[in-house]
Amino acid sequence: MKLKIYRLPILAVALLATIFSCSEDYLEVDPSGQFLSGNYYANQTEAFAGLVAEYDFMRKNSGGFENMVTMMNAGSDDHYAGGGNSTDGAGIQSFSNYTLNAIEMPSSFWSDYYKGIFRANMMILKLPDVPMDETLKARYMAESKALRAYYHFNLVRLFKNIPLFTAPVDPAETYNVVQSTPEEVYAQIEIDLLDAISGLPTTLNSDELGRFTKGAAQAVLGKVYLEQGKKAEAAAQFAAVNGTPGATSPYGYKLLANFNDLWQIDNKFNTESILEVTHTNLSLAGWGNAYNDDAEGNMVSTMVGPRGFVDLDVNDNVPAYSSGWSFNPIIPELYDLLKNDPRFEATVLDLKALSEQGKIQYSPGYQDTGYFLNKFAPTVAEEHTGAGDMWLNHRQNSYVIRLADTYLLEAEALNGTGTRAQALLDAVRARVGLPSIPVSMDNVLAERRLELAGEGHRWFDLRRNGKLQAKLASRGFVSGKHEIFPIPYKELENTKLVQNPNY
């Protein structure tokens, strides 16, 4: 049995060896969510190991070739798919040019989140009978409900028409499962998050980083409300998370003084981080792990890095960038919007200019613009040199939610009007030295585009505000179809699931 080193720093390698050496086959479950009986979790140690396994699919944000960040970037108006050629990753390419179909839809965007839901449901089912500290038991239950809600949320906002699982499903019933209405799914997500908030801690110890807190669950709930158009409810949740704009919130969140510090690899779990995915460069992942949940590194770094980078002048202070696959090249329109913005250098790696100056060389990939995503660009200094493949073992964490995000989401929930919305927008701009501008929905969305560029939020921002058709019609976007993904074909076979409209 191979050893899996989990990304949360709260588990020691020795504990994983003893727990998962006998249980990994159990934890690697069918995405449909089959029920496995037995006496697991027999004690607090096993329950803790199960909890860690639940968190594994948070890594879908930036881990594996099929990750949320590069996929959602590719379909937005800020990036192309890129890569090596027009067939390099059929799913990401066809989402970018809006030819995506059920055959090419990467099934992991469906199956990975259902694996996480299955694990959460097993914990929720078994935990009441585990002989362990009751305070910890209540916390594990809260975390499991938060994770179940988060995984269902990503599924419903990607596919809309999905099955809702609140308990493990017996194998005999797997193929009789039907889809719930989106309203039913969202109602359960809200119930789970509200239950979780009451049982989650406000802060974390240093050996617990990466786990859900009360503030993180409230931020997710705010996004859930906003996605449904429940703006007043969303604003209330975000206000509790944000506190006074520009100051330290009641949960201890505060904007970093320097925007660039957000992208320093060792500046993990900083005061701006609300929900963060942990990556490690210590896994043994090789090429066989690139498309599944065994790879523990940040794959966004590999995917967005330039191909064949060569520094021609070692004295010009150009960082030595590591080799990458040239996905998510930045579209000139975004480059032009950012070029006079203080966030430009942290966001855009302008190899076009450096190449024209004779300072570097690189090998242009598919849809090359010369502009790369610097927030995740890999450097030689951070290259992994141990066991496992270097490309699969970048250790940069990724933000699922950070404070500038929730500031601007609250301003959006307030319809871009009023004193508080103005203060939230001003705080984000003041952090990078920009002057105040009148708050409005257009200005809030424009600020989100620049502040959160390349972090996987732009496509959802456009959809939430009814702007996908206007922005992406030239790429092939069809209203009434492309607002959601097709359900992967193999998930439909021999089931009662119904494909999404127009696919």
Side-chain angles (χ1 to χ4, degrees):
M1 188 66 66
K2 65 182 184 296
L3 173 65
K4 290 181 73 176
I5 301 176
Y6 284 79
R7 72 191 190 290
L8 289 177
I10 47 183
L11 264 190
V13 173
L15 176 60
L16 286 166
T18 57
I19 297 299
F20 287 101
S21 62
C22 62
S23 63
E24 184 177 319
D25 284 344
Y26 167 81
L27 292 170
E28 294 298 329
V29 298
D30 182 88
S32 297
Q34 65 183 25
F35 179 82
L36 299 177
S37 61
N39 63 354
Y40 203 84
Y41 315 101
N43 52 49
Q44 183 170 310
T45 299
E46 290 186 358
F48 180 62
L51 180 67
V52 172
E54 290 179 57
Y55 274 98
D56 218 24
F57 298 98
M58 289 289 294
R59 197 171 58 242
K60 189 68 177 172
N61 193 59
S62 44
F65 182 82
E66 295 167 356
N67 63 77
M68 287 286 286
V69 170
T70 56
M71 183 69 166
M72 302 319 296
N73 282 350
S76 78
D77 58 339
D78 285 343
H79 303 267
Y80 298 121
N85 54 57
S86 62
T87 62
D88 191 359
I92 194 171
Q93 299 293 341
S94 57
F95 178 45
S96 186
N97 62 30
Y98 289 93
T99 61
L100 189 60
N101 57 58
I103 300 297
E104 293 182 332
M105 178 66 219
S107 62
S108 67
F109 286 97
W110 178 279
S111 62
D112 280 3
Y113 287 127
Y114 275 119
K115 289 179 186 178
I117 289 167
F118 173 78
R119 294 180 184 183
N121 281 336
M122 283 299 297
M123 177 68 74
I124 291 167
L125 176 70
K126 297 282 190 176
L127 191 60
D129 297 326
V130 178
M132 60 181 289
D133 178 84
E134 291 298 322
T135 301
L136 276 180
K137 183 184 291 189
R139 179 178 175 185
Y140 290 8
M141 183 66 76
E143 289 180 84
S144 297
K145 289 184 177 181
L147 287 163
R148 182 171 73 180
Y150 175 74
Y151 296 147
H152 271 126
F153 177 52
N154 275 339
L155 282 163
V156 75
R157 67 178 180 152
L158 290 175
F159 298 98
K160 187 176 181 180
N161 302 298
I162 67 167
L164 172 65
F165 290 110
T166 57
V169 176
D170 188 279
E173 296 299 319
T174 298
Y175 298 104
N176 292 318
V177 169
V178 296
Q179 287 133 306
S180 299
T181 66
E183 292 77 15
E184 290 170 330
V185 176
Y186 273 115
Q188 183 61 50
I189 290 170
E190 291 175 15
I191 290 170
D192 278 348
L193 287 171
L194 288 168
D195 285 349
I197 288 167
S198 65
L200 289 168
T202 301
T203 59
L204 298 171
N205 296 326
S206 60
D207 61 348
E208 298 176 329
L209 301 176
R211 296 168 68 176
F212 257 94
T213 61
K214 195 180 298 290
Q218 284 192 270
V220 173
L221 182 56
K223 294 187 72 170
V224 168
Y225 284 141
L226 191 58
E227 194 71 21
Q228 299 174 83
K230 298 179 178 179
K231 290 190 172 183
E233 295 92 334
Q237 294 299 322
F238 290 134
V241 172
N242 294 334
T244 302
T248 302
S249 81
Y251 292 137
Y253 304 130
K254 184 175 174 53
L255 294 176
L256 296 183
N258 187 339
F259 179 82
N260 292 5
D261 288 346
L262 285 163
W263 313 107
Q264 298 302 311
I265 291 177
D266 291 320
N267 193 23
K268 301 183 178 188
F269 304 107
N270 54 66
T271 61
E272 191 163 338
S273 176
I274 295 174
L275 190 58
E276 182 170 331
V277 174
T278 305
H279 289 290
T280 178
N281 62 354
L282 299 178
S283 80
L284 305 181
W287 284 112
N289 310 101
Y291 289 87
N292 58 36
D293 56 30
D294 289 341
E296 311 265 341
N298 183 330
M299 279 287 286
V300 175
S301 293
T302 287
M303 292 180 71
V304 305
R307 292 172 180 261
F309 179 88
V310 179
D311 186 356
L312 298 177
D313 184 354
V314 295
N315 297 315
D316 62 8
N317 296 317
V318 175
Y321 287 96
S322 180
S323 177
W325 299 344
S326 66
F327 282 91
N328 285 172
I330 291 172
I331 289 174
E333 179 187 343
L334 179 61
Y335 176 93
D336 290 340
L337 291 171
L338 275 165
K339 65 183 178 183
N340 295 317
D341 189 280
R343 291 161 289 204
F344 174 83
E345 289 190 3
T347 304
V348 181
L349 172 57
D350 187 355
L351 293 192
K352 181 180 180 180
L354 292 173
S355 178
E356 290 172 350
Q357 295 165 17
K359 294 182 177 181
I360 62 98
Q361 288 179 345
Y362 74 99
S363 300
Y366 178 58
Q367 299 176 312
D368 177 64
T369 61
Y371 312 133
F372 295 80
L373 183 56
N374 205 25
K375 288 178 176 178
F376 295 102
T379 64
V380 171
E382 299 300 330
E383 282 185 1
H384 170 61
T385 58
D389 193 278
M390 181 270 289
W391 283 273
L392 306 181
N393 284 281
H394 288 289
R395 63 185 178 86
Q396 182 177 356
N397 287 2
S398 69
Y399 303 106
V400 177
I401 306 175
R402 59 183 177 88
L403 192 60
D405 182 13
T406 57
Y407 272 22
L408 294 172
L409 286 175
E410 185 185 348
E412 179 184 334
L414 294 169
N415 291 309
T417 63
T419 302
R420 182 165 174 86
Q422 183 71 65
L424 290 160
L425 177 60
D426 286 350
V428 173
R429 292 176 59 81
R431 187 258 294 274
V432 295
L434 290 173
S436 176
I437 57 175
V439 70
S440 67
M441 283 295 288
D442 285 345
N443 283 341
V444 169
L445 292 176
E447 199 66 34
R448 284 185 62 79
R449 187 178 191 183
L450 302 182
E451 172 72 24
L452 301 166
E455 297 177 52
H457 300 294
R458 173 66 175 173
W459 189 88
F460 291 111
D461 289 351
L462 293 175
R463 185 182 67 181
R464 198 170 56 248
N465 290 278
K467 296 180 179 294
L468 285 172
Q469 180 69 35
K471 293 290 187 178
L472 293 164
S474 63
R475 295 263 285 271
F477 180 90
V478 175
S479 182
K481 176 179 180 178
H482 291 131
E483 289 88 352
I484 54 177
F485 285 165
I487 297 171
Y489 176 75
K490 77 174 190 176
E491 302 297 339
L492 297 171
E493 289 184 293
N494 302 313
T495 73
K496 293 183 178 180
L497 300 180
V498 177
Q499 183 57 273
N500 281 328
N502 300 313
Y503 284 108

